[in-house]
Amino acid sequence: MTTIKTAMPGVIYRRPSPEEEPFVREGETIEEGQTIALVEVMKNFNEVKADQSGRLTRFLVEDGDEVAISQDIAELED
């Protein structure tokens, strides 16, 4: 089991916009480089991408949570 971490602090969003579906849901298989969330820093949105392929087993943060640099935000099963 590996984790996906943030590269910067800010507010995390698991959807591209409030009206849209999440980038990915728990239990789904994701590909390396796939966007799984956004981190907002001073009105700029930065993509959080998967470092590797696998099954996203669990998010460790909720939509709208504040995150720190290198914080684990999701667990990934190889």
Side-chain angles (χ1 to χ4, degrees), residues 3-14:
T3 58
I4 299 172
K5 300 178 182 294
T6 57
M8 61 191 62
V11 177
I12 195 149
Y13 296 102
R14 293 172 42 191

Side-chain angles (χ1 to χ4, degrees), residues 48-75:
V48 178
K49 297 185 181 231
D51 294 336
Q52 65 184 55
S53 299
R55 188 172 66 85
L56 193 140
T57 57
R58 179 169 74 122
F59 275 99
L60 304 172
V61 295
E62 295 297 324
D63 205 42
D65 282 356
E66 293 216 13
V67 294
I69 295 173
S70 297
Q71 180 176 336
D72 293 338
I73 61 162
E75 292 179 345

